[in-house]
Amino acid sequence: MNISIKRVYLPAEDSDGYRVLVDRLWPCGIKKENAKIDLWAKALAPSAELRKWFNHIPERFEEFSKKYVEELKANPEVAPILDELRQHDKVTLLYGAKDEQHNNAVVLLHLLSV
């Protein structure tokens, strides 16, 4: 499986393949009918508590990453979603954060690439 990440606000491209939104909240300003999202995988998003604690503060990213991976491993809803993703040759994980280096999709990409 070829996997990549992309901000959901960027235009959809054929090369994106299967487009998966990995945020718990729907991105502001995007209409669902125009989003070209194949799957909204809320279960792959960090918990509200963890997301609020992290608050996209880069200094917290390392600890956020560890806690987020622990959440994913403990969540029984994650395995079926990962099985679904493996059915596709190309998957793009979509996120809404402005920070392209410090967000949950970066963590997911690393986790799924190992």
Side-chain angles (χ1 to χ4, degrees):
M1 170 176 61
N2 183 358
I3 189 163
S4 63
I5 61 174
K6 182 177 184 177
R7 281 196 79 215
V8 70
Y9 296 100
L10 295 174
E13 300 171 316
D14 291 339
S15 62
D16 291 342
Y18 193 67
R19 293 170 48 90
V20 182
L21 179 62
V22 294
D23 287 345
R24 191 168 303 278
L25 303 174
W26 188 262
C28 295
I30 294 184
K31 294 182 179 182
K32 289 183 182 178
E33 58 271 11
N34 297 336
K36 297 183 182 172
I37 291 174
D38 298 302
L39 176 66
W40 183 8
K42 295 178 191 178
L44 294 183
S47 65
E49 296 81 17
L50 183 57
R51 180 179 51 79
K52 288 175 186 175
W53 171 82
F54 173 47
N55 198 28
H56 297 284
I57 298 171
E59 295 78 23
R60 293 183 181 171
F61 185 68
E62 187 175 338
E63 188 173 352
F64 164 79
S65 298
K66 291 176 185 174
K67 291 179 178 185
Y68 178 39
V69 169
E70 289 174 12
E71 283 187 354
L72 290 168
K73 289 181 178 180
N75 185 344
E77 295 178 47
V78 169
I81 295 171
L82 297 182
D83 289 341
E84 167 67 20
L85 299 185
R86 289 185 187 103
Q87 302 300 313
H88 302 276
D89 293 330
K90 172 68 176 158
V91 174
T92 299
L93 304 176
L94 303 168
Y95 63 93
K98 291 179 184 176
D99 186 335
E100 297 180 4
Q101 304 298 317
H102 306 99
N103 63 67
N104 62 305
V106 171
V107 178
L108 270 174
L109 176 64
H110 177 73
L111 183 67
L112 296 173
S113 298
V114 293

